[in-house]
PDB file of all heavy atoms in Angstrom:
ATOM      1  N   TYR A   1      83.198  77.639  89.998  1.00 98.00           N
ATOM      2  CA  TYR A   1      83.017  76.846  91.163  1.00 98.00           C
ATOM      3  C   TYR A   1      81.723  76.957  91.829  1.00 98.00           C
ATOM      4  O   TYR A   1      81.359  76.185  92.683  1.00 98.00           O
ATOM      5  CB  TYR A   1      84.087  77.387  92.220  1.00 98.00           C
ATOM      6  CG  TYR A   1      85.590  77.261  91.761  1.00 98.00           C
ATOM      7  CD1 TYR A   1      86.382  78.334  91.974  1.00 98.00           C
ATOM      8  CD2 TYR A   1      85.978  76.116  91.184  1.00 98.00           C
ATOM      9  CE1 TYR A   1      87.702  78.307  91.581  1.00 98.00           C
ATOM     10  CE2 TYR A   1      87.356  76.055  90.813  1.00 98.00           C
ATOM     11  CZ  TYR A   1      88.204  77.115  90.962  1.00 98.00           C
ATOM     12  OH  TYR A   1      89.451  77.069  90.566  1.00 98.00           O
ATOM     13  N   PHE A   2      80.888  77.907  91.347  1.00 98.00           N
ATOM     14  CA  PHE A   2      79.455  78.048  91.911  1.00 98.00           C
ATOM     15  C   PHE A   2      78.717  76.770  91.699  1.00 98.00           C
ATOM     16  O   PHE A   2      78.813  76.170  90.666  1.00 98.00           O
ATOM     17  CB  PHE A   2      78.756  79.191  91.289  1.00 98.00           C
ATOM     18  CG  PHE A   2      79.334  80.614  91.581  1.00 98.00           C
ATOM     19  CD1 PHE A   2      78.733  81.710  90.942  1.00 98.00           C
ATOM     20  CD2 PHE A   2      80.385  80.743  92.360  1.00 98.00           C
ATOM     21  CE1 PHE A   2      79.351  82.972  91.080  1.00 98.00           C
ATOM     22  CE2 PHE A   2      80.906  82.058  92.564  1.00 98.00           C
ATOM     23  CZ  PHE A   2      80.368  83.116  91.963  1.00 98.00           C
ATOM     24  N   ARG A   3      77.960  76.407  92.650  1.00 97.00           N
ATOM     25  CA  ARG A   3      77.016  75.295  92.472  1.00 97.00           C
ATOM     26  C   ARG A   3      75.669  75.438  93.207  1.00 97.00           C
ATOM     27  O   ARG A   3      75.576  76.308  94.164  1.00 97.00           O
ATOM     28  CB  ARG A   3      77.660  73.980  92.905  1.00 97.00           C
ATOM     29  CG  ARG A   3      77.871  73.859  94.393  1.00 97.00           C
ATOM     30  CD  ARG A   3      78.411  72.472  94.695  1.00 97.00           C
ATOM     31  NE  ARG A   3      78.437  72.201  96.166  1.00 97.00           N
ATOM     32  CZ  ARG A   3      79.454  72.511  97.004  1.00 97.00           C
ATOM     33  NH1 ARG A   3      80.564  73.021  96.433  1.00 97.00           N
ATOM     34  NH2 ARG A   3      79.279  72.159  98.232  1.00 97.00           N
ATOM     35  N   GLU A   4      74.715  74.796  92.739  1.00 97.00           N
ATOM     36  CA  GLU A   4      73.273  74.882  93.330  1.00 97.00           C
ATOM     37  C   GLU A   4      73.352  74.522  94.849  1.00 97.00           C
ATOM     38  O   GLU A   4      73.848  73.516  95.231  1.00 97.00           O
ATOM     39  CB  GLU A   4      72.359  73.992  92.618  1.00 97.00           C
ATOM     40  CG  GLU A   4      70.982  74.196  93.040  1.00 97.00           C
ATOM     41  CD  GLU A   4      69.928  73.391  92.219  1.00 97.00           C
ATOM     42  OE1 GLU A   4      70.357  72.858  91.103  1.00 97.00           O
ATOM     43  OE2 GLU A   4      68.821  73.300  92.581  1.00 97.00           O
ATOM     44  N   GLY A   5      72.732  75.354  95.588  1.00 96.00           N
ATOM     45  CA  GLY A   5      72.600  75.184  97.047  1.00 96.00           C
ATOM     46  C   GLY A   5      73.705  75.613  97.919  1.00 96.00           C
ATOM     47  O   GLY A   5      73.650  75.693  99.149  1.00 96.00           O
ATOM     48  N   GLN A   6      74.889  75.947  97.306  1.00 98.00           N
ATOM     49  CA  GLN A   6      76.036  76.433  98.077  1.00 98.00           C
ATOM     50  C   GLN A   6      75.742  77.836  98.594  1.00 98.00           C
ATOM     51  O   GLN A   6      75.177  78.657  97.794  1.00 98.00           O
ATOM     52  CB  GLN A   6      77.275  76.424  97.226  1.00 98.00           C
ATOM     53  CG  GLN A   6      78.524  76.648  97.987  1.00 98.00           C
ATOM     54  CD  GLN A   6      79.824  76.561  97.094  1.00 98.00           C
ATOM     55  OE1 GLN A   6      79.845  77.074  96.054  1.00 98.00           O
ATOM     56  NE2 GLN A   6      80.804  75.776  97.576  1.00 98.00           N
ATOM     57  N   ILE A   7      76.178  78.162  99.773  1.00 98.00           N
ATOM     58  CA  ILE A   7      76.158  79.426 100.353  1.00 98.00           C
ATOM     59  C   ILE A   7      77.417  80.171 100.155  1.00 98.00           C
ATOM     60  O   ILE A   7      78.499  79.674 100.531  1.00 98.00           O
ATOM     61  CB  ILE A   7      75.822  79.359 101.885  1.00 98.00           C
ATOM     62  CG1 ILE A   7      74.568  78.595 102.078  1.00 98.00           C
ATOM     63  CG2 ILE A   7      75.696  80.903 102.497  1.00 98.00           C
ATOM     64  CD1 ILE A   7      74.326  78.268 103.594  1.00 98.00           C
ATOM     65  N   ILE A   8      77.371  81.401  99.605  1.00 98.00           N
ATOM     66  CA  ILE A   8      78.522  82.287  99.506  1.00 98.00           C
ATOM     67  C   ILE A   8      78.236  83.507 100.321  1.00 98.00           C
ATOM     68  O   ILE A   8      77.219  84.265 100.133  1.00 98.00           O
ATOM     69  CB  ILE A   8      78.730  82.757  97.987  1.00 98.00           C
ATOM     70  CG1 ILE A   8      78.967  81.484  97.149  1.00 98.00           C
ATOM     71  CG2 ILE A   8      79.934  83.783  97.963  1.00 98.00           C
ATOM     72  CD1 ILE A   8      79.283  81.801  95.675  1.00 98.00           C
ATOM     73  N   TYR A   9      79.064  83.658 101.361  1.00 98.00           N
ATOM     74  CA  TYR A   9      78.858  84.680 102.451  1.00 98.00           C
ATOM     75  C   TYR A   9      80.048  85.654 102.333  1.00 98.00           C
ATOM     76  O   TYR A   9      81.218  85.398 102.714  1.00 98.00           O
ATOM     77  CB  TYR A   9      78.813  83.977 103.788  1.00 98.00           C
ATOM     78  CG  TYR A   9      78.686  84.730 105.090  1.00 98.00           C
ATOM     79  CD1 TYR A   9      77.664  85.674 105.112  1.00 98.00           C
ATOM     80  CD2 TYR A   9      79.488  84.591 106.160  1.00 98.00           C
ATOM     81  CE1 TYR A   9      77.411  86.405 106.278  1.00 98.00           C
ATOM     82  CE2 TYR A   9      79.340  85.285 107.290  1.00 98.00           C
ATOM     83  CZ  TYR A   9      78.248  86.154 107.418  1.00 98.00           C
ATOM     84  OH  TYR A   9      78.108  86.915 108.576  1.00 98.00           O
ATOM     85  N   THR A  10      79.746  86.845 101.798  1.00 98.00           N
ATOM     86  CA  THR A  10      80.907  87.844 101.507  1.00 98.00           C
ATOM     87  C   THR A  10      80.230  89.147 101.103  1.00 98.00           C
ATOM     88  O   THR A  10      79.028  89.302 101.037  1.00 98.00           O
ATOM     89  CB  THR A  10      81.764  87.251 100.372  1.00 98.00           C
ATOM     90  OG1 THR A  10      82.891  88.081 100.209  1.00 98.00           O
ATOM     91  CG2 THR A  10      81.002  87.261  98.994  1.00 98.00           C
ATOM     92  N   TYR A  11      81.135  90.209 100.925  1.00 96.00           N
ATOM     93  CA  TYR A  11      80.703  91.369 100.231  1.00 96.00           C
ATOM     94  C   TYR A  11      80.396  91.062  98.775  1.00 96.00           C
ATOM     95  O   TYR A  11      81.218  90.418  98.086  1.00 96.00           O
ATOM     96  CB  TYR A  11      81.734  92.402 100.327  1.00 96.00           C
ATOM     97  CG  TYR A  11      81.898  93.110 101.670  1.00 96.00           C
ATOM     98  CD1 TYR A  11      83.118  92.964 102.336  1.00 96.00           C
ATOM     99  CD2 TYR A  11      80.903  93.779 102.291  1.00 96.00           C
ATOM    100  CE1 TYR A  11      83.292  93.599 103.629  1.00 96.00           C
ATOM    101  CE2 TYR A  11      81.024  94.320 103.561  1.00 96.00           C
ATOM    102  CZ  TYR A  11      82.196  94.254 104.184  1.00 96.00           C
ATOM    103  OH  TYR A  11      82.402  94.795 105.415  1.00 96.00           O
ATOM    104  N   LEU A  12      79.287  91.532  98.271  1.00 96.00           N
ATOM    105  CA  LEU A  12      78.855  91.241  96.918  1.00 96.00           C
ATOM    106  C   LEU A  12      78.695  92.500  96.053  1.00 96.00           C
ATOM    107  O   LEU A  12      79.127  92.435  94.968  1.00 96.00           O
ATOM    108  CB  LEU A  12      77.615  90.363  96.896  1.00 96.00           C
ATOM    109  CG  LEU A  12      77.678  88.962  97.371  1.00 96.00           C
ATOM    110  CD1 LEU A  12      76.296  88.389  97.546  1.00 96.00           C
ATOM    111  CD2 LEU A  12      78.567  88.121  96.434  1.00 96.00           C
ATOM    112  N   HIS A  13      78.180  93.531  96.516  1.00 93.00           N
ATOM    113  CA  HIS A  13      77.866  94.777  95.798  1.00 93.00           C
ATOM    114  C   HIS A  13      77.320  94.426  94.414  1.00 93.00           C
ATOM    115  O   HIS A  13      77.842  94.955  93.400  1.00 93.00           O
ATOM    116  CB  HIS A  13      79.204  95.552  95.709  1.00 93.00           C
ATOM    117  CG  HIS A  13      79.823  95.884  97.024  1.00 93.00           C
ATOM    118  ND1 HIS A  13      79.197  96.791  97.844  1.00 93.00           N
ATOM    119  CD2 HIS A  13      80.930  95.449  97.678  1.00 93.00           C
ATOM    120  CE1 HIS A  13      79.974  97.001  98.961  1.00 93.00           C
ATOM    121  NE2 HIS A  13      80.948  96.127  98.825  1.00 93.00           N
ATOM    122  N   LEU A  14      76.332  93.662  94.382  1.00 95.00           N
ATOM    123  CA  LEU A  14      75.714  93.170  93.072  1.00 95.00           C
ATOM    124  C   LEU A  14      75.237  94.284  92.172  1.00 95.00           C
ATOM    125  O   LEU A  14      75.217  94.175  90.941  1.00 95.00           O
ATOM    126  CB  LEU A  14      74.688  92.142  93.319  1.00 95.00           C
ATOM    127  CG  LEU A  14      75.091  90.856  93.948  1.00 95.00           C
ATOM    128  CD1 LEU A  14      73.943  89.835  94.139  1.00 95.00           C
ATOM    129  CD2 LEU A  14      76.266  90.232  93.238  1.00 95.00           C
ATOM    130  N   ALA A  15      74.779  95.395  92.750  1.00 91.00           N
ATOM    131  CA  ALA A  15      74.217  96.499  91.877  1.00 91.00           C
ATOM    132  C   ALA A  15      75.288  97.010  90.939  1.00 91.00           C
ATOM    133  O   ALA A  15      74.936  97.712  90.003  1.00 91.00           O
ATOM    134  CB  ALA A  15      73.643  97.601  92.778  1.00 91.00           C
ATOM    135  N   ALA A  16      76.564  96.755  91.157  1.00 88.00           N
ATOM    136  CA  ALA A  16      77.624  97.212  90.248  1.00 88.00           C
ATOM    137  C   ALA A  16      78.226  95.972  89.590  1.00 88.00           C
ATOM    138  O   ALA A  16      79.333  96.026  88.873  1.00 88.00           O
ATOM    139  CB  ALA A  16      78.726  97.898  91.016  1.00 88.00           C
ATOM    140  N   GLU A  17      77.640  94.782  89.667  1.00 94.00           N
ATOM    141  CA  GLU A  17      78.246  93.516  89.133  1.00 94.00           C
ATOM    142  C   GLU A  17      77.217  92.690  88.442  1.00 94.00           C
ATOM    143  O   GLU A  17      76.749  91.754  88.886  1.00 94.00           O
ATOM    144  CB  GLU A  17      78.840  92.798  90.380  1.00 94.00           C
ATOM    145  CG  GLU A  17      79.971  93.512  91.066  1.00 94.00           C
ATOM    146  CD  GLU A  17      81.282  93.592  90.352  1.00 94.00           C
ATOM    147  OE1 GLU A  17      81.389  92.877  89.360  1.00 94.00           O
ATOM    148  OE2 GLU A  17      82.146  94.353  90.752  1.00 94.00           O
ATOM    149  N   LYS A  18      76.866  93.093  87.217  1.00 96.00           N
ATOM    150  CA  LYS A  18      75.815  92.352  86.462  1.00 96.00           C
ATOM    151  C   LYS A  18      76.279  90.907  86.172  1.00 96.00           C
ATOM    152  O   LYS A  18      75.516  89.998  86.284  1.00 96.00           O
ATOM    153  CB  LYS A  18      75.567  93.125  85.162  1.00 96.00           C
ATOM    154  CG  LYS A  18      74.468  92.441  84.283  1.00 96.00           C
ATOM    155  CD  LYS A  18      73.065  92.398  84.939  1.00 96.00           C
ATOM    156  CE  LYS A  18      71.968  92.183  83.943  1.00 96.00           C
ATOM    157  NZ  LYS A  18      72.083  90.982  83.167  1.00 96.00           N
ATOM    158  N   ASP A  19      77.484  90.760  85.764  1.00 97.00           N
ATOM    159  CA  ASP A  19      77.954  89.410  85.374  1.00 97.00           C
ATOM    160  C   ASP A  19      77.912  88.501  86.574  1.00 97.00           C
ATOM    161  O   ASP A  19      77.526  87.294  86.442  1.00 97.00           O
ATOM    162  CB  ASP A  19      79.438  89.441  84.778  1.00 97.00           C
ATOM    163  CG  ASP A  19      79.515  90.116  83.379  1.00 97.00           C
ATOM    164  OD1 ASP A  19      78.368  90.260  82.762  1.00 97.00           O
ATOM    165  OD2 ASP A  19      80.624  90.466  82.992  1.00 97.00           O
ATOM    166  N   LEU A  20      78.338  88.995  87.746  1.00 98.00           N
ATOM    167  CA  LEU A  20      78.273  88.175  88.925  1.00 98.00           C
ATOM    168  C   LEU A  20      76.863  87.797  89.357  1.00 98.00           C
ATOM    169  O   LEU A  20      76.565  86.609  89.654  1.00 98.00           O
ATOM    170  CB  LEU A  20      78.972  88.861  90.053  1.00 98.00           C
ATOM    171  CG  LEU A  20      78.910  88.257  91.518  1.00 98.00           C
ATOM    172  CD1 LEU A  20      79.536  86.853  91.431  1.00 98.00           C
ATOM    173  CD2 LEU A  20      79.618  89.144  92.531  1.00 98.00           C
ATOM    174  N   THR A  21      75.998  88.811  89.201  1.00 98.00           N
ATOM    175  CA  THR A  21      74.590  88.493  89.504  1.00 98.00           C
ATOM    176  C   THR A  21      74.045  87.498  88.540  1.00 98.00           C
ATOM    177  O   THR A  21      73.441  86.475  89.067  1.00 98.00           O
ATOM    178  CB  THR A  21      73.729  89.808  89.289  1.00 98.00           C
ATOM    179  OG1 THR A  21      74.332  90.842  90.181  1.00 98.00           O
ATOM    180  CG2 THR A  21      72.314  89.561  89.669  1.00 98.00           C
ATOM    181  N   ASP A  22      74.297  87.575  87.286  1.00 98.00           N
ATOM    182  CA  ASP A  22      73.775  86.528  86.391  1.00 98.00           C
ATOM    183  C   ASP A  22      74.406  85.236  86.736  1.00 98.00           C
ATOM    184  O   ASP A  22      73.642  84.199  86.609  1.00 98.00           O
ATOM    185  CB  ASP A  22      74.240  86.892  84.913  1.00 98.00           C
ATOM    186  CG  ASP A  22      73.485  88.114  84.447  1.00 98.00           C
ATOM    187  OD1 ASP A  22      72.451  88.438  84.927  1.00 98.00           O
ATOM    188  OD2 ASP A  22      73.907  88.762  83.459  1.00 98.00           O
ATOM    189  N   ALA A  23      75.628  85.123  87.098  1.00 98.00           N
ATOM    190  CA  ALA A  23      76.292  83.794  87.364  1.00 98.00           C
ATOM    191  C   ALA A  23      75.769  83.134  88.560  1.00 98.00           C
ATOM    192  O   ALA A  23      75.431  81.963  88.665  1.00 98.00           O
ATOM    193  CB  ALA A  23      77.802  84.000  87.586  1.00 98.00           C
ATOM    194  N   LEU A  24      75.409  83.949  89.618  1.00 98.00           N
ATOM    195  CA  LEU A  24      74.828  83.390  90.891  1.00 98.00           C
ATOM    196  C   LEU A  24      73.474  82.881  90.639  1.00 98.00           C
ATOM    197  O   LEU A  24      73.037  81.875  91.135  1.00 98.00           O
ATOM    198  CB  LEU A  24      74.813  84.551  91.909  1.00 98.00           C
ATOM    199  CG  LEU A  24      76.193  84.966  92.523  1.00 98.00           C
ATOM    200  CD1 LEU A  24      75.984  86.301  93.281  1.00 98.00           C
ATOM    201  CD2 LEU A  24      76.780  83.929  93.372  1.00 98.00           C
ATOM    202  N   LEU A  25      72.714  83.644  89.792  1.00 98.00           N
ATOM    203  CA  LEU A  25      71.279  83.176  89.465  1.00 98.00           C
ATOM    204  C   LEU A  25      71.327  81.892  88.661  1.00 98.00           C
ATOM    205  O   LEU A  25      70.523  81.013  88.835  1.00 98.00           O
ATOM    206  CB  LEU A  25      70.529  84.385  88.779  1.00 98.00           C
ATOM    207  CG  LEU A  25      70.301  85.543  89.585  1.00 98.00           C
ATOM    208  CD1 LEU A  25      69.688  86.681  88.763  1.00 98.00           C
ATOM    209  CD2 LEU A  25      69.368  85.304  90.779  1.00 98.00           C
ATOM    210  N   ALA A  26      72.219  81.855  87.686  1.00 98.00           N
ATOM    211  CA  ALA A  26      72.318  80.716  86.804  1.00 98.00           C
ATOM    212  C   ALA A  26      72.693  79.422  87.499  1.00 98.00           C
ATOM    213  O   ALA A  26      72.141  78.358  87.164  1.00 98.00           O
ATOM    214  CB  ALA A  26      73.342  81.004  85.618  1.00 98.00           C
ATOM    215  N   LYS A  27      73.528  79.598  88.525  1.00 98.00           N
ATOM    216  CA  LYS A  27      74.041  78.362  89.253  1.00 98.00           C
ATOM    217  C   LYS A  27      73.158  78.111  90.482  1.00 98.00           C
ATOM    218  O   LYS A  27      73.404  77.147  91.172  1.00 98.00           O
ATOM    219  CB  LYS A  27      75.458  78.661  89.610  1.00 98.00           C
ATOM    220  CG  LYS A  27      76.497  78.686  88.471  1.00 98.00           C
ATOM    221  CD  LYS A  27      76.572  77.368  87.780  1.00 98.00           C
ATOM    222  CE  LYS A  27      77.711  77.454  86.733  1.00 98.00           C
ATOM    223  NZ  LYS A  27      79.071  77.572  87.229  1.00 98.00           N
ATOM    224  N   LYS A  28      72.178  78.916  90.704  1.00 97.00           N
ATOM    225  CA  LYS A  28      71.147  78.781  91.736  1.00 97.00           C
ATOM    226  C   LYS A  28      71.905  78.669  93.094  1.00 97.00           C
ATOM    227  O   LYS A  28      71.636  77.972  94.021  1.00 97.00           O
ATOM    228  CB  LYS A  28      70.295  77.558  91.601  1.00 97.00           C
ATOM    229  CG  LYS A  28      69.417  77.554  90.417  1.00 97.00           C
ATOM    230  CD  LYS A  28      68.467  76.446  90.360  1.00 97.00           C
ATOM    231  CE  LYS A  28      67.595  76.529  89.137  1.00 97.00           C
ATOM    232  NZ  LYS A  28      66.604  75.345  89.009  1.00 97.00           N
ATOM    233  N   THR A  29      72.864  79.629  93.249  1.00 98.00           N
ATOM    234  CA  THR A  29      73.700  79.801  94.503  1.00 98.00           C
ATOM    235  C   THR A  29      72.976  80.616  95.510  1.00 98.00           C
ATOM    236  O   THR A  29      72.190  81.462  95.118  1.00 98.00           O
ATOM    237  CB  THR A  29      75.025  80.360  94.121  1.00 98.00           C
ATOM    238  OG1 THR A  29      75.660  79.642  93.135  1.00 98.00           O
ATOM    239  CG2 THR A  29      75.942  80.439  95.362  1.00 98.00           C
ATOM    240  N   LYS A  30      73.169  80.355  96.755  1.00 98.00           N
ATOM    241  CA  LYS A  30      72.620  81.149  97.835  1.00 98.00           C
ATOM    242  C   LYS A  30      73.609  82.267  98.207  1.00 98.00           C
ATOM    243  O   LYS A  30      74.581  81.900  98.879  1.00 98.00           O
ATOM    244  CB  LYS A  30      72.241  80.275  98.981  1.00 98.00           C
ATOM    245  CG  LYS A  30      71.260  79.194  98.663  1.00 98.00           C
ATOM    246  CD  LYS A  30      71.086  78.236  99.868  1.00 98.00           C
ATOM    247  CE  LYS A  30      70.186  77.044  99.481  1.00 98.00           C
ATOM    248  NZ  LYS A  30      70.078  75.993 100.704  1.00 98.00           N
ATOM    249  N   ALA A  31      73.346  83.442  97.769  1.00 98.00           N
ATOM    250  CA  ALA A  31      74.314  84.597  97.996  1.00 98.00           C
ATOM    251  C   ALA A  31      73.930  85.488  99.085  1.00 98.00           C
ATOM    252  O   ALA A  31      72.856  86.066  99.069  1.00 98.00           O
ATOM    253  CB  ALA A  31      74.484  85.309  96.753  1.00 98.00           C
ATOM    254  N   VAL A  32      74.754  85.506 100.144  1.00 98.00           N
ATOM    255  CA  VAL A  32      74.368  86.334 101.347  1.00 98.00           C
ATOM    256  C   VAL A  32      75.426  87.471 101.411  1.00 98.00           C
ATOM    257  O   VAL A  32      76.651  87.237 101.471  1.00 98.00           O
ATOM    258  CB  VAL A  32      74.463  85.536 102.614  1.00 98.00           C
ATOM    259  CG1 VAL A  32      74.085  86.396 103.819  1.00 98.00           C
ATOM    260  CG2 VAL A  32      73.545  84.317 102.522  1.00 98.00           C
ATOM    261  N   ALA A  33      74.975  88.751 101.253  1.00 98.00           N
ATOM    262  CA  ALA A  33      75.849  89.874 101.148  1.00 98.00           C
ATOM    263  C   ALA A  33      76.064  90.530 102.534  1.00 98.00           C
ATOM    264  O   ALA A  33      75.075  90.861 103.198  1.00 98.00           O
ATOM    265  CB  ALA A  33      75.220  90.888 100.167  1.00 98.00           C
ATOM    266  N   TYR A  34      77.312  90.685 102.821  1.00 97.00           N
ATOM    267  CA  TYR A  34      77.635  91.309 104.179  1.00 97.00           C
ATOM    268  C   TYR A  34      76.927  92.763 104.203  1.00 97.00           C
ATOM    269  O   TYR A  34      76.421  93.196 105.227  1.00 97.00           O
ATOM    270  CB  TYR A  34      79.122  91.536 104.312  1.00 97.00           C
ATOM    271  CG  TYR A  34      79.949  90.387 104.453  1.00 97.00           C
ATOM    272  CD1 TYR A  34      81.372  90.452 104.266  1.00 97.00           C
ATOM    273  CD2 TYR A  34      79.463  89.080 104.948  1.00 97.00           C
ATOM    274  CE1 TYR A  34      82.221  89.318 104.466  1.00 97.00           C
ATOM    275  CE2 TYR A  34      80.288  88.081 105.088  1.00 97.00           C
ATOM    276  CZ  TYR A  34      81.684  88.125 104.833  1.00 97.00           C
ATOM    277  OH  TYR A  34      82.559  87.086 105.002  1.00 97.00           O
ATOM    278  N   GLU A  35      76.986  93.430 103.006  1.00 95.00           N
ATOM    279  CA  GLU A  35      76.657  94.884 103.083  1.00 95.00           C
ATOM    280  C   GLU A  35      75.075  95.118 103.123  1.00 95.00           C
ATOM    281  O   GLU A  35      74.679  96.303 103.246  1.00 95.00           O
ATOM    282  CB  GLU A  35      77.177  95.510 101.793  1.00 95.00           C
ATOM    283  CG  GLU A  35      76.510  95.139 100.496  1.00 95.00           C
ATOM    284  CD  GLU A  35      77.089  94.016  99.782  1.00 95.00           C
ATOM    285  OE1 GLU A  35      77.866  93.241 100.436  1.00 95.00           O
ATOM    286  OE2 GLU A  35      76.694  93.673  98.678  1.00 95.00           O
ATOM    287  N   THR A  36      74.260  94.044 103.114  1.00 96.00           N
ATOM    288  CA  THR A  36      72.864  94.267 103.189  1.00 96.00           C
ATOM    289  C   THR A  36      72.326  93.635 104.428  1.00 96.00           C
ATOM    290  O   THR A  36      71.075  93.735 104.662  1.00 96.00           O
ATOM    291  CB  THR A  36      72.060  93.854 101.952  1.00 96.00           C
ATOM    292  OG1 THR A  36      72.205  92.428 101.786  1.00 96.00           O
ATOM    293  CG2 THR A  36      72.597  94.559 100.695  1.00 96.00           C
ATOM    294  N   ILE A  37      73.089  92.911 105.198  1.00 97.00           N
ATOM    295  CA  ILE A  37      72.639  92.371 106.541  1.00 97.00           C
ATOM    296  C   ILE A  37      72.367  93.544 107.436  1.00 97.00           C
ATOM    297  O   ILE A  37      73.277  94.416 107.506  1.00 97.00           O
ATOM    298  CB  ILE A  37      73.635  91.430 107.135  1.00 97.00           C
ATOM    299  CG1 ILE A  37      73.661  90.057 106.317  1.00 97.00           C
ATOM    300  CG2 ILE A  37      73.230  91.105 108.625  1.00 97.00           C
ATOM    301  CD1 ILE A  37      74.578  88.994 106.879  1.00 97.00           C
TER     302      ILE A  37
END
């Protein structure tokens, strides 16, 4: 469902989620992590 320019606002914990990180980058999604605000 990811798409370019869409904002995903949630807990991400990307340092433990390589596949998710790759998917967000590939789809050029704007990922905003609760845990680093």
Side-chain angles (χ1 to χ4, degrees):
Y1 302 133
F2 296 174
R3 69 175 190 271
E4 185 173 350
Q6 185 177 51
I7 301 166
I8 299 177
Y9 181 51
T10 188
Y11 287 120
L12 290 170
H13 300 290
L14 294 184
E17 299 288 347
K18 180 64 161 58
D19 290 346
L20 173 57
T21 303
D22 289 340
L24 292 168
L25 295 174
K27 295 293 183 71
K28 297 185 176 180
T29 304
K30 302 172 184 178
V32 183
Y34 293 162
E35 72 274 9
T36 64
I37 289 177

